[in-house]
């Protein structure tokens, strides 16, 4: 935090907080004279607020909670007359330089970052969150003073936590020297506390340990909730009341699932907002942190060649495809409560669709981008039973190896109707996309692992070369493929003449293969999103109205599937999915691009 001081103030200054409301810290100036006389000046007006503003170490306004919601920022200022300015956190001498840069540097040098991974003993924390935190530390993204706490119900010592997470830490971003030294330095900053997620007393103990490590500095605190959704609100309540920062910012990252439908999602949002403001809540969808998804808006808005084509005038259909070549494998109990539509379609694929289809935002500001995404989501028709096909993988013997069925998982009921595969057609009712089918396909235990966006363009009207391609004019369709994972790439399929004396045509790819083009390894999505949360950048996180709009598309469909007990079509483990998915695509005169390619 740093104060931007009005030029007219010359005495030494100090910053203090009124921490009665930990959700909305109130910043003030305090000065005392020998007579201890004091005066209070409130500055609710915009003109007064311009004379003094408060910013965090990352440059974001600490009062952004007020300003982003359209409420006038009010900075209460306590003023006393005399020679002494005093505060327990920042003490300035009259001879000190009170310029903007000097105060900024002093405040930043005293700031500390504390990250608490709630649910630190779980797989997500061990496999993704701690490795991402180490990668950020390794790349110099953390301030000088930082501490990481693991908090979970499991009994564990600091050293046991360090041993556990050290098994998943790698210096994979590059091969610079001193990797082992960096790893040891990082592990020394990691501590563990066992406690209950619904215990304010346990979080108060955590707060005490945090303060010991923070050493009286300005404290910024980030909580990552890597816990079951049924204890989100309890953990947030305890953290807000017992362990939030009284002098810096407090932010909370919430992992999906954000409910099971519109009703439960709304209930979760209301529960969180009893203890946090919207700007303190960072709903994470790790697919938004993937390099190719973030590059999607760059590809579209910074290249003149694409923007004129990005509409129903030239695009015939858009396919968003997600496939895994393995089953639930130990997650059957969790997965059976949600299914593939909730697990993948309603969040990952729908978020990609919103970024793909949105109108150009006014700016790259988080709110401008999220406003455009919400407009797209609100324009999408609600899904009905006729708009989807669902499937479930069954046992299959291949190459002498028997692959289990979904219901062979001991944590899954034998009569489960939960879908492990789904294909859906979505339509956006606006001027740009009217009539263009957006086809989603997501499944487990399929023939390949991939996540990609496929944009199939319209046929060339009156093509001069249709005789060279034969009757199947779909083979001549230009297609833009954005491969999100694995082996990231962007390529455009074009028609080309094969060298030689005859007029023989061929389909070729204009290919941007990331591994061949760029030397460095692509950071993990969790690294990008954690860094954004620390810096207060909300562009890649989901806003509450965005979440409401997303659930309104899928909730009626999910209710019908469950109430009418629609049975999924079975497909063999390792196959290309249920046959019904191919007939489903043909209803819209579409072929699945991933199947035609292979």
């Amino acid at each position: 935090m740093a104060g931007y001081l009005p030029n007219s103030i010359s005495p030494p200054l100090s910053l203090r907080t009124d921490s009665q409301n930990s959700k909305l810290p109130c910043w003030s100036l305090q000065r005392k004279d020998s007579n201890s006389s004091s005066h209070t000046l409130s500055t609710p007006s915009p003109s007064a607020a311009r004379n003094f503003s408060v910013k965090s170490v990352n440059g974001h306004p600490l009062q952004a909670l007020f300003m982003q919601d359209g409420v006038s920022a009010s900075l209460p200022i306590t003023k006393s007359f005399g020679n002494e300015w005093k505060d327990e956190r920042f003490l300035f001498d009259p001879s000190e330089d009170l310029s903007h840069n000097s105060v900024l540097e002093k405040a930043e040098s005293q700031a500390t970052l504390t990250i608490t991974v709630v649910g630190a003993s779980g797989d997500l924390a061990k496999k993704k969150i701690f490795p991402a935190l180490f990668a950020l530390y390794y790349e110099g993204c953390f301030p000088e003073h930082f501490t990481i706490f693991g908090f979970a119900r499991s009994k564990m010592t600091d050293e046991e936590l360090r041993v556990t997470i050290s098994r998943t830490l790698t210096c994979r971003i590059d091969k610079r020297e001193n990797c082992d030294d960096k790893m040891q330095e990082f592990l020394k900053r990691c501590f563990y506390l066992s406690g209950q997620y619904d215990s304010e007393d346990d979080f108060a103990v955590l707060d005490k340990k945090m303060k010991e490590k923070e050493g009286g500095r300005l404290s910024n605190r980030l909580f990552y909730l890597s816990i079951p959704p049924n204890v989100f609100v309890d953990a947030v309540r305890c953290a807000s009341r017992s362990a939030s920062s009284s002098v810096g910012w407090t932010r909370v990252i919430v992992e999906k699932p954000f409910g099971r439908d519109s009703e439960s999602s709304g209930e979760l949002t209301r529960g969180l907002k009893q203890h946090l403001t919207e700007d303190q809540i960072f709903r994470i969808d790790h697919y938004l942190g993937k390099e190719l998804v973030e590059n999607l808006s760059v590809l579209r808005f910074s290249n003149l060649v694409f923007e004129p084509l990005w509409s129903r005038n030239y695009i015939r259909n858009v396919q968003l495809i997600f496939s895994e070549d393995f089953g639930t494998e130990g997650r059957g109990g969790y997965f059976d409560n949600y299914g593939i539509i909730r697990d993948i379609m309603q969040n990952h694929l729908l978020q990609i669709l919103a970024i793909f289809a949105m109108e150009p935002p006014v700016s790259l500001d988080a709110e401008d981008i999220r406003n455009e995404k919400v407009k797209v989501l609100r324009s999408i028709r609600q899904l009905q039973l006729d708009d989807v096909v669902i499937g479930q993988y069954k046992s299959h013997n291949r190459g002498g190896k028997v692959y289990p069925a979904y219901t062979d998982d001991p944590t899954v009921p034998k009569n489960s109707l939960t879908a492990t595969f789904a294909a859906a057609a979505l339509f956006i009712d606006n001027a740009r996309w009217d009539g263009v089918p957006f086809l989603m396909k997501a499944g487990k235990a399929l023939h390949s692992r991939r996540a990609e966006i496929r944009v199939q363009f319209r046929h060339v009207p009156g093509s001069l070369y249709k005789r060279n391609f034969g009757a199947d004019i779909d083979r001549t369709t230009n297609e833009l493929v954005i491969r999100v994972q694995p082996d990231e790439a962007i390529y455009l399929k074009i028609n080309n003449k094969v060298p030689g004396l005859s007029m023989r045509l061929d389909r070729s790819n204009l290919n941007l293969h990331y591994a061949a083009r760029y030397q460095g390894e692509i950071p993990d999505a969790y690294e990008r999103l954690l860094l954004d949360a620390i810096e207060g950048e909300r562009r890649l996180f989901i806003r509450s109205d965005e979440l409401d709009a997303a659930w309104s598309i899928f909730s009626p469909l999910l209710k019908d599937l469950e109430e009418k007990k629609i049975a999924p079509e079975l497909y063999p483990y390792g196959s290309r999915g249920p046959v019904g998915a191919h007939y489903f695509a043909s209803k819209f005169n579409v072929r699945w691009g991933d199947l035609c390619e292979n």
Side-chain angles (χ1 to χ4, degrees):
M1 178 197 67
Y4 287 68
L5 308 181
N7 295 329
S8 60
I9 297 179
S10 57
L13 301 178
S14 67
L15 296 177
R16 70 176 179 83
T17 68
D18 178 357
S19 59
Q20 291 178 352
N21 185 345
S22 62
K23 287 167 58 180
L24 302 175
C26 181
W27 299 91
S28 63
L29 289 173
Q30 183 180 21
R31 186 174 78 172
K32 293 183 179 179
D33 65 359
S34 57
N35 298 322
S36 297
S37 60
S38 65
H39 300 269
T40 300
L41 301 178
S42 295
T43 59
S45 67
S47 60
R50 283 196 296 269
N51 290 331
F52 184 86
S53 64
V54 180
K55 292 193 176 184
S56 68
V57 294
N58 52 48
H60 295 277
L62 284 170
Q63 296 281 29
L65 305 177
F66 302 119
M67 291 181 280
Q68 288 193 2
D69 290 334
V71 181
S72 175
S74 175
L75 298 174
I77 296 182
T78 301
K79 184 176 181 182
S80 302
F81 296 95
N83 298 320
E84 183 187 357
W85 292 70
K86 187 177 181 182
D87 183 78
E88 69 278 8
R89 300 252 173 215
F90 300 95
L91 185 61
F92 294 88
D93 185 84
S95 61
E96 284 189 278
D97 179 11
L98 293 179
S99 65
H100 170 283
N101 290 336
S102 174
V103 177
L104 181 65
E105 290 171 4
K106 186 176 183 70
E108 285 185 347
S109 67
Q110 298 183 68
T112 182
L113 171 67
T114 304
I115 300 171
T116 301
V117 182
V118 183
S121 59
D123 282 347
L124 178 64
K126 290 183 286 190
K127 294 178 181 178
K128 289 292 184 180
I129 301 172
F130 282 111
L133 291 172
F134 172 64
L136 293 177
Y137 169 70
Y138 189 73
E139 291 299 300
C141 298
F142 286 162
E144 178 184 357
H145 305 290
F146 81 92
T147 308
I148 296 173
F149 278 92
F151 184 92
R153 292 176 292 206
S154 305
K155 299 294 182 182
M156 197 185 307
T157 65
D158 294 343
E159 191 56 37
E160 287 172 334
L161 173 71
R162 293 164 184 164
V163 170
T164 298
I165 64 178
S166 66
R167 300 188 184 110
T168 60
L169 303 186
T170 59
C171 298
R172 58 169 185 75
I173 292 180
D174 56 35
K175 303 300 180 183
R176 289 201 297 249
E177 63 278 4
N178 301 326
C179 176
D180 290 339
D181 293 341
K182 283 278 191 179
M183 196 175 294
Q184 292 307 313
E185 291 170 8
F186 173 79
L187 291 173
K188 288 177 182 177
R189 305 285 192 105
C190 296
F191 303 89
Y192 184 82
L193 178 66
S194 174
Q196 298 299 312
Y197 302 136
D198 59 354
S199 171
E200 292 185 29
D201 291 339
D202 289 344
F203 275 85
V205 175
L206 175 64
D207 179 64
K208 182 179 178 181
K209 290 183 175 291
M210 286 178 172
K211 287 178 178 176
E212 291 174 0
K213 301 300 179 184
E214 290 163 351
R217 301 180 184 89
L218 174 79
S219 59
N220 297 318
R221 295 180 177 179
L222 176 67
F223 293 85
Y224 195 119
L225 302 189
S226 178
I227 52 179
N230 62 311
V231 290
F232 279 170
V233 176
D234 287 336
V236 165
R237 170 179 54 82
C238 295
S240 177
R241 293 180 179 178
S242 302
S244 62
S245 174
S246 60
V247 293
W249 51 254
T250 298
R251 296 171 185 151
V252 179
I253 297 178
V254 182
E255 267 283 353
K256 76 175 185 71
F258 313 116
R260 298 187 75 256
D261 50 28
S262 293
E263 183 178 352
S264 58
S265 175
E267 183 180 349
L268 175 60
T269 296
R270 289 188 295 272
L272 293 176
K273 287 188 176 182
Q274 288 179 1
H275 310 287
L276 300 170
T277 66
E278 175 64 27
D279 282 347
Q280 289 179 287
I281 304 170
F282 288 70
R283 299 175 189 84
I284 190 171
D285 183 332
H286 73 273
Y287 257 69
L288 292 180
K290 290 188 177 292
E291 185 67 39
L292 269 293
V293 175
E294 188 165 16
N295 191 43
L296 188 56
S297 59
V298 178
L299 181 73
R300 176 182 169 190
F301 297 128
S302 69
N303 294 288
L304 183 62
V305 67
F306 289 120
E307 179 57 23
L309 306 179
W310 222 261
S311 73
R312 62 186 177 86
N313 295 325
Y314 295 96
I315 292 178
R316 189 159 58 106
N317 67 81
V318 180
Q319 301 175 24
L320 301 111
I321 298 170
F322 173 95
S323 66
E324 291 179 335
D325 55 2
F326 53 89
T328 53
E329 296 185 357
R331 292 180 66 243
Y334 162 82
F335 184 86
D336 198 68
N337 192 41
Y338 291 94
I340 197 72
I341 295 177
R342 291 185 178 95
D343 196 39
I344 303 297
M345 282 189 166
Q346 184 273 337
N347 40 70
H348 298 336
L349 297 188
L350 191 62
Q351 284 293 318
I352 294 175
L353 185 155
I355 295 173
F356 179 94
M358 71 180 183
E359 294 298 314
V362 174
S363 73
L364 292 178
D365 179 77
E367 297 313 305
D368 290 333
I369 292 174
R370 296 196 291 188
N371 287 343
E372 296 303 329
K373 289 170 63 182
V374 170
K375 290 178 185 177
V376 171
L377 295 174
R378 288 177 175 170
S379 300
I380 297 177
R381 299 177 201 167
Q382 286 187 344
L383 286 170
Q384 307 298 325
L385 286 176
D386 290 342
D387 299 323
V388 297
V389 167
I390 59 172
Q392 185 185 100
Y393 65 87
K394 63 181 180 180
S395 179
H396 180 55
N397 190 328
R398 185 175 60 191
K401 182 178 180 180
V402 177
Y403 293 87
Y406 172 68
T407 52
D408 289 338
D409 188 320
T411 62
V412 174
K414 292 299 181 183
N415 59 348
S416 174
L417 297 179
T418 298
T420 61
F421 176 98
L426 290 82
F427 288 88
I428 303 173
D429 292 329
N430 64 18
R432 182 183 290 270
W433 298 112
D434 185 33
V436 177
F438 283 76
L439 298 185
M440 288 184 180
K441 182 172 67 171
K444 291 183 173 294
L446 296 174
H447 70 294
S448 66
R449 173 179 173 264
R450 70 173 72 205
E452 61 188 18
I453 308 162
R454 307 185 80 97
V455 185
Q456 295 186 347
F457 293 92
R458 296 192 180 278
H459 301 133
V460 176
S463 175
L464 297 174
Y465 296 99
K466 58 185 178 182
R467 291 177 58 186
N468 300 82
F469 284 105
D472 189 0
I473 61 173
D474 284 343
R475 292 186 58 204
T476 70
T477 299
N478 298 127
E479 187 175 27
L480 175 67
V481 181
I482 302 169
R483 189 190 302 140
V484 177
Q485 69 175 31
D487 202 22
E488 294 85 351
I490 301 172
Y491 56 96
L492 178 65
K493 294 186 176 183
I494 64 167
N495 300 314
N496 187 58
K497 178 182 177 297
V498 177
L501 298 178
S502 62
M503 180 57 69
R504 196 157 55 90
L505 304 187
D506 184 30
R507 296 194 73 186
S508 303
N509 292 341
L510 301 179
N511 194 354
L512 170 58
H513 185 215
Y514 272 53
R517 177 66 179 85
Y518 301 109
Q519 296 294 324
E521 188 168 347
I522 296 175
D524 185 76
Y526 282 92
E527 296 167 30
R528 185 186 318 279
L529 293 170
L530 277 164
L531 183 59
D532 279 356
I534 292 168
E535 294 181 343
E537 171 57 67
R538 297 169 176 82
R539 181 171 46 91
L540 299 178
F541 294 89
I542 301 170
R543 206 168 60 189
S544 60
D545 58 342
E546 196 177 339
L547 188 61
D548 293 342
W551 274 118
S552 69
I553 298 167
F554 284 90
S555 288
L557 167 69
L558 292 167
K559 183 178 179 181
D560 282 347
L561 287 172
E562 291 170 356
E563 288 184 350
K564 297 178 180 179
K565 300 186 182 301
I566 304 298
E569 179 184 346
L570 298 180
Y571 62 94
Y573 190 119
S575 68
R576 296 173 181 262
V579 175
H582 306 287
Y583 290 108
F584 176 76
S586 67
K587 286 171 48 178
F588 308 98
N589 197 26
V590 172
R591 293 181 181 179
W592 294 110
D594 59 323
L595 303 184
C596 296
E597 191 169 79
N598 293 333

